[in-house]
Amino acid sequence: MSEKLSTKPYKGTRDFYPDEMRQRTKVFSSLEKTVRSFGFEKIDAPIVEPIEIYLAKTSEEIVNQQIYSFIDRGERRVAIRPEMTPTVARMFSGKARELPRPVRWFSIPNLWRYEQPGKGRLREHWQLNCDILGAPDEFLADAEIIMLAVEILKSLGATQSQFIVKLSHREILNSFFEKRLGLAKENWPTIARILDKKEKISGEEFSSFLSAAGIDAVGQEQILNFLTGGLQWLRENPEIDGAGYLLELMALLEKSGYSEHLAYDPGVVRGFDYYTGIVFEVFDTSGENRRSLFGGGRYDKLVSAFIKEEINAVGFGMGDVTLFDFLQTHQILPGPQRELQVFVASFPTPEDQVNSFRLAREIRNLGIPAEMGLGPAKLGKQLAEAAGKKISFAIIQGLEEKDRGVVQIKNLETGEQVEIPEEEIVEQVKAMAGDRYDTQK
Ligand code: HAM
């Protein structure tokens, strides 16, 4: 006997059977609704791109260790997209002259990174991307993108205390390295990576990493003050680039009612090389899920990798894996219930079958999804199978009932069954379904 093939999906990826797919669709539809309410329009693009679009400005870690790339049959080196931002910049650049600005675009691509799978981290994930390009005033675009991030979580049922947006500005860190620590530019990434690790390592480890990178005790104290001093530190150090901008942005967001969702955190480093202005990450505050729910920032130089013009741009990506963990932890993940469905039983004779098809078509035309029995099985078996598929109601009409213009309608959850005139199917289903019908419309 030959050995059977594995039924498992590839490491770090997921199959979506109907129950999981239904939940995913519900969550994604809710995201889309919120994003569209801000005027964003949906885009999509190929999953494969020329590798060059990632080499310049995506993070070193992604390009060197995580990218899925291959040589195609025409000797081109291509990559399966590990992120959407270079594609967004490429697409904008391709039509830069004709697109009315600002552009507000969103997409929900599947992205591939060769990661060690773990909690909140897989090799394939779906990521909601929202980006604004070419805004007349980048300050307002920054404010809007953060408001959108907050509204997305609120529309999924999250409350204020369950998440926090941690915000900083690329220039603040760079300027601190240069003006306070007097570090040469080539050392900035090493120190930034150590700061990025701070929450995950002990105080002693943090100090020994910094010493090894050449930061003396005075420098280390300055780093601690910088990391823990909050907005007060920024106010006291106005000559630090980006400090004034960030303070102003925080003030606008506060006046607009978003302050409780926000915290300035100079430790938000973000690994991508293309960020030039604000950078932010959104975290679950429960302590259950340590990975960020969103990551984003301003990237004003990425479009100029494609065209001469420099275009300001800001956006974020929110992954489905971390989002679902978050929704589950806070018990706001929508259930896997099916859309309201009617089952139409079938009968053995051809005349009956024509009638069942007609009935199912008419019910669908009335706006109610209807699934038809496809087998010669006994009625009881058909109904048991329909109940097993979580269908709410069965409509039964043999030719004798057809002649009388009536149907039997059976609630498959309660077993209740009544005979009604055929033209009352919709009303009866609505009445029997109660609230559920309204909420699912
Ligand atoms: P990122 O920080 O790499 O940013 O990813 C954003 C989010 O995608 C993360 O917060 C996380 O929810 C999810 N994510 C990333 N990698 C994985 C993974 N291996 N498994 C599961 N989830 C993951 C970017 O990708 C930027 N391009 C976002 C952006 C858009 N910046 C501007 N516009």
Side-chain angles (χ1 to χ4, degrees):
M1 206 169 59
S2 65
E3 205 172 301
K4 297 297 177 201
L5 299 170
S6 168
T7 57
K8 289 209 177 75
Y10 167 68
K11 182 171 175 179
T13 69
R14 294 156 292 167
D15 291 324
F16 294 88
Y17 284 87
D19 277 352
E20 293 95 43
M21 195 65 206
R22 214 174 295 123
Q23 277 182 307
R24 190 177 111 187
T25 307
K26 284 183 193 177
V27 172
F28 284 8
S29 319
S30 159
L31 298 178
E32 273 207 45
K33 199 166 155 209
T34 311
V35 171
R36 285 187 192 278
S37 79
F38 277 70
F40 281 70
E41 294 189 280
K42 196 169 190 177
I43 57 161
D44 205 353
I47 192 169
V48 170
E49 290 276 8
I51 197 160
E52 290 78 35
I53 77 165
Y54 306 108
L55 293 182
K57 303 227 180 234
T58 293
S59 78
E60 212 175 278
E61 189 189 21
I62 290 184
V63 171
N64 294 341
Q65 295 162 28
Q66 299 180 344
I67 215 156
Y68 280 80
S69 66
F70 59 96
I71 311 282
D72 75 7
R73 289 168 196 270
E75 300 293 314
R76 292 172 210 91
R77 193 158 169 230
V78 293
I80 302 179
R81 60 188 177 195
E83 59 152 338
M84 192 66 177
T85 314
T87 303
V88 169
R90 177 181 67 68
M91 284 176 64
F92 179 89
S93 305
K95 292 205 172 187
R97 280 165 199 269
E98 53 207 273
L99 290 166
R101 297 179 193 176
V103 150
R104 283 185 179 88
W105 280 351
F106 80 99
S107 55
I108 313 184
N110 55 334
L111 305 178
W112 285 79
R113 298 182 190 178
Y114 194 79
E115 301 245 28
Q116 195 48 43
K119 186 160 166 80
R121 183 166 61 181
L122 293 175
R123 291 188 174 169
E124 184 191 38
H125 74 282
W126 271 256
Q127 195 188 81
L128 170 71
N129 275 254
C130 297
D131 292 272
I132 306 175
L133 293 95
D137 184 346
E138 61 172 68
F139 181 72
L140 296 183
D142 283 351
E144 183 174 281
I145 210 85
I146 289 169
M147 290 179 193
L148 174 61
V150 170
E151 293 302 338
I152 284 175
L153 288 179
K154 279 171 49 180
S155 71
L156 289 167
T159 58
Q160 181 215 317
S161 61
Q162 292 170 343
F163 68 94
I164 184 91
V165 182
K166 293 188 175 175
L167 178 65
S168 188
H169 194 295
R170 255 297 154 87
E171 284 178 3
I172 294 177
L173 189 66
N174 292 346
S175 182
F176 168 72
F177 285 158
E178 186 183 3
K179 295 183 176 162
R180 286 287 172 280
L181 299 183
L183 285 177
K185 206 169 177 177
E186 62 267 24
N187 296 329
W188 296 358
T190 315
I191 308 300
R193 268 195 291 275
I194 300 173
L195 300 200
D196 196 29
K197 279 200 202 113
K198 183 172 178 291
E199 296 303 314
K200 295 166 213 143
I201 58 181
S202 70
E204 290 87 61
E205 277 176 305
F206 185 60
S207 171
S208 71
F209 279 133
L210 287 174
S211 304
I215 307 288
D216 63 14
V218 178
Q220 291 192 22
E221 198 181 320
Q222 281 185 316
I223 289 177
L224 284 181
N225 289 338
F226 169 70
L227 289 179
T228 55
L231 288 175
Q232 193 52 31
W233 189 95
L234 289 185
R235 287 190 200 102
E236 287 163 7
N237 293 273
E239 70 288 4
I240 293 287
D241 301 330
Y245 187 94
L246 196 93
L247 286 167
E248 238 182 276
L249 183 63
M250 296 284 284
L252 172 70
L253 288 164
E254 187 178 343
K255 285 188 202 128
S256 307
Y258 288 86
S259 61
E260 71 270 28
H261 300 288
L262 278 185
Y264 162 62
D265 184 344
V268 176
V269 176
R270 304 283 296 140
F272 298 85
D273 295 338
Y274 49 63
Y275 291 124
T276 52
I278 61 155
V279 279
F280 61 96
E281 288 187 338
V282 182
F283 288 94
D284 181 348
T285 51
S286 72
E288 288 285 308
N289 306 299
R290 306 192 75 82
R291 295 194 167 274
S292 63
L293 291 164
F294 298 48
R298 171 156 291 286
Y299 52 100
D300 288 346
K301 303 257 160 44
L302 195 56
V303 167
S304 55
F306 298 91
I307 52 173
K308 269 212 188 99
E309 201 183 349
E310 200 166 280
I311 296 286
N312 73 67
V314 66
F316 61 76
M318 181 187 68
D320 67 325
V321 185
T322 42
L323 177 67
F324 274 63
D325 286 348
F326 172 82
L327 297 176
Q328 213 142 26
T329 299
H330 297 285
Q331 296 175 351
I332 46 177
L333 184 65
Q337 300 89 351
R338 295 186 73 174
E339 217 181 296
L340 180 70
Q341 285 260 18
V342 165
F343 177 81
V344 178
S346 66
F347 294 87
T349 71
E351 294 79 14
D352 266 317
Q353 286 161 0
V354 169
N355 181 52
S356 297
F357 275 117
R358 175 200 61 83
L359 192 58
R361 191 167 58 235
E362 282 175 10
I363 294 171
R364 287 182 203 120
N365 287 343
L366 293 168
I368 298 180
E371 178 173 320
M372 214 183 97
L374 290 182
K378 291 239 163 59
L379 186 62
K381 190 153 181 254
Q382 286 189 49
L383 298 186
E385 279 173 9
K389 290 170 89 180
K390 304 193 187 80
I391 298 179
S392 315
F393 302 99
I395 306 278
I396 305 149
Q397 188 188 54
L399 289 179
E400 179 270 324
E401 280 138 333
K402 181 177 179 255
D403 289 343
R404 290 197 289 122
V406 297
V407 298
Q408 304 288 332
I409 177 164
K410 185 177 175 106
N411 182 327
L412 294 171
E413 285 155 23
T414 62
E416 179 195 355
Q417 179 169 334
V418 286
E419 184 177 288
I420 54 162
E422 190 180 320
E423 61 273 14
E424 286 177 19
I425 289 177
V426 174
E427 271 161 50
Q428 196 65 32
V429 166
K430 281 185 188 172
M432 286 170 102
D435 292 348
R436 208 160 35 138
Y437 187 81
D438 290 336
T439 55
Q440 294 187 347
K441 272 304 263 186

